Amino acid sequence: MRWIAPLAALVVFGAVVAVLHHELKQLHIRSVFEHLHSIPRVNILAALGFTAASYLLLSSYDALALRYRQRTIVYARILFTSFIAYSFGHTLGFAAFTGAAIRFRLYSTAKVTAIDVATISAFSSLSIGIGLTTLTGISLLVTPEQAASLLHLQPAWSMLVGFLLLAVVAAYGLWGSLSRNVLEFRGWALRPPGPLIAIVQIVLSVIDLSLSSAVLWWLLPPDAHISFIAFVGAYAVAVIAGIISHVPGGIGVFETVILYTLPDVPKDALLGSLLAYRLVYYLVPLFFATLLFLTKEVSAQRGKLARARELAGIYVAPIVPQIAGALTFFAGTLLLLSGATPGMDDRLHALYNFLPLIVVEASHLAGSVIGLGLLILARALFRRVHAAYHITFWLLTAGIFASLLKGLDFEEATVLAVVLGVLTLGRNAFHRPTAILSERVGPVWVVSIIGVISLAVWIGFVAYRHVDYSDELWWTFALDGDAPRMLRASLVVVVLLAAYLLLTMLRPAQPEPAVAGPEDLERAKGVISRSNLTVCNAALTGDKRLLFSDSGDAFVMYQIAGRSWIALGDPVGSDAGAEELVWRFREMSDRHGGQTVFYQASGDRLPLYVDLGLAALKIGEEARVPLKDFSLDGSARADLRQAHRRAERDGATFEVISPEQVVELLPELEKISNSWLTSKSTGEKRFSVGAFSADYLRNFPMALVRSEGNATAFANLWASGTRDELSVDLMRFGNEAPRGAMDYLFIELMKWGRTQGYQWFNLGMAPLAGLERHPLAPAWHRVGNFVFRYGEHFYNFEGLRRYKTKFEPVWEPKYLVARGGLALPRVLVDVSVLIAGGMKELFAR
């Protein structure tokens, strides 16, 4: 299923190329470049000015969306973030480089949540849609005759469509300004933004799209003879077609629509204008965004002032892999397109005076092969692979020399040098020791690479369509033999790509990992002893699979339910090992066709999960009680004080016994456990908690409550090796337990933990607690709040939260991290089945 959308985009792109090939069959590539160079300098400067104004206005979308979400961020950061996100998103457009990932990385230090970032992205998309709709409607109404001719409509239909489009925008404006009703769309609740935001949003979107269309309008040839109002309609339709096609950057689709709607403009001149538009509106902002990012990196490298390093940490460090990967992909594309087009004759002849022909030929072939290598390595850079950094460094260096030696292409060499600079300054971000070929390539990357190479080959055939094909071309070596060089380079690149894809995609599937055995559990104990958190002790239940880092200093505990590979909590162990494991776990689940899921993940790791393309869903809050000043004093804990005294009057005593002593008491404890399970009409749960098992319980100390010398309640202790946190797993009591045994056990445990030097007592998670309640909250939060409030018959959600609140804990959010969209309901079912211990047990509950 993951292949459907990328392959559909590739099919659309292929169809567009076929249409363009037919439309441009009489075109000579040199005439296109002649028209490109003939554009007046004044027009180019005007287009650059409109581009700068457009990108400045784009930042207002982020500012309005943050105001809509009632978030306050310094405008300098909004401007920097939006410029980086839009520059890379417009030019590349691949899922790996979406503006959402960059925004989340850069905004996260300002306490902006994943929901906020999703709202910003949706708000920006809505604003662009409003602008496109408004401009198209105005164009169809104001200039019906000319617009109808461009769009091949009857004037009456043109005016009707224009009126309907403007009516839609007006309806949105009225709803946004006056209504109090919330709109539902694909699981999101859209709250009316209010008159100020709604009106400003419409006005700014119209101005922004007018500016971007003015860029191309000023670059059109003088004999185009089309009014700006009429052209805006054609431009808006072309943009909409590019968005619908899902082709990255709308490349090819946008150009095809413009060529189709402006049939009277000479195609070579119009194509030259479109190339200039791509350069001015896409590549120039990308170049300046790269320079801005590079400047920040340089300040981070040489800045000795604390403020300089602080700014570098905020603006640069979080997105180095995304930026370096995006630029590397762009550099590879540039080398492949350069290898498919003819070089400049004067430079080639100047070069031939100093170098033999074989050097020129070898450099041309090497440049195309290096371009393919950079396309492949871009994905590994995005995944922070250490080896990819070193290989990319030398490939970019070799690419610079190849660009100069194949035709003195100084411009291309400069671009590669800038990319090399960004990569070098961000080298510390690439620390994963994973082998590059060990990672199977995903559908989006395969289709993207194939699309780029197909585009390069097609451009080559268009550029040399006037050259008659013959078998001798393959063996022709001459200074002016651009066509033979293109053929040889294209063949080598296609063969190498096919070999790479066969090597990575047809590799035998690895066997599914087994449940952890005794040796794995012993390895895990060493890592657990160095952890600050208690949840890592869940690895010793014996019902999970363990994935260890190469150095053995970290592991992920997980289990498989349905198609979901569900990890419990964040990776346990060192930060370096944990980050490596997150990527390995994602890759392993992908290889087996599974969904990657992290259950009860913390907020600290969310940026890393976003890098994996996963979405965070808040599922509750974890209660942690600080033990340093814990006592029963004060009116807030009067109920606890009373329960503790009552239990003591009933003869309750407390003690903690060692794991060795636990073994002797297991028969007695088993009776208590069975009595408790019977009284609750339930069975053992799995995965997130342990079950009563001798092999499991002998690993932990045990807290006991005795009444008249007999054990009546118990809880096995989860303790962190660093004495940072203390918690319990199984906590059960028999019929003879004194009243308030649970309160008494918790109080005594917290007092005991304080004397033993523990900093926190973890009361566990309150499911569905703390979800957002405002009208803009996603559907999941509203469903969760409904279940939390009215689902007491199935689970004591509200009562559990209320009970833990008595201890005055600090509440920390917990998340379920997985892919969003249609797969999410299935993931929620798989997690529920896994925790319940099976589908039958889930239905029983």
Side-chain angles (χ1 to χ4, degrees), residues 184-336:
E184 301 280 348
F185 180 70
R186 298 185 67 177
W188 286 85
L190 184 61
R191 171 176 55 88
L196 178 61
I197 294 179
I199 295 173
V200 172
Q201 181 186 21
I202 294 173
V203 172
L204 289 180
S205 65
V206 171
I207 297 175
D208 169 50
L209 269 298
S210 299
L211 290 171
S212 63
S213 60
V215 174
L216 179 55
W217 189 72
W218 273 83
L219 296 172
L220 290 176
D223 53 354
H225 301 304
I226 178 174
S227 68
F228 178 70
I229 297 296
F231 173 76
V232 162
Y235 177 86
V237 171
V239 172
I240 293 171
I243 294 173
I244 294 175
S245 71
H246 291 287
V247 174
I251 188 167
V253 179
F254 176 84
E255 285 77 5
T256 300
V257 174
I258 293 295
L259 287 170
Y260 181 72
T261 54
L262 302 179
D264 297 331
V265 181
K267 289 183 172 54
D268 51 358
L270 184 54
L271 196 57
S273 299
L274 288 169
L275 285 176
Y277 169 74
R278 287 286 180 180
L279 288 170
V280 171
Y281 194 74
Y282 287 82
L283 297 187
V284 170
L286 178 65
F287 177 74
F288 280 101
T290 304
L291 287 183
L292 179 62
F293 188 78
L294 185 61
T295 302
K296 293 286 185 181
E297 279 195 297
V298 171
S299 67
Q301 297 292 325
R302 70 181 185 182
K304 297 182 179 180
L305 299 177
R307 181 57 179 166
R309 291 195 176 276
E310 179 184 349
L311 290 174
I314 291 174
Y315 291 111
V316 176
I319 55 171
V320 166
Q322 291 90 340
I323 298 300
L327 291 176
T328 299
F329 195 94
F330 173 73
T333 303
L334 180 63
L335 283 171
L336 286 168

Side-chain angles (χ1 to χ4, degrees), residues 643-657:
H644 185 264
R645 289 172 180 171
R646 183 170 58 245
E648 286 185 331
R649 286 197 302 267
D650 292 342
T653 60
F654 172 83
E655 66 175 314
V656 175
I657 62 176

Side-chain angles (χ1 to χ4, degrees), residues 46 161 218 296 456 468 515 596 611 636 665 788 810 827:
V161 173
W218 273 83
K296 293 286 185 181
D468 295 329
V515 174
T596 306
D611 281 352
L665 285 176
F788 180 83
V810 175
V827 167

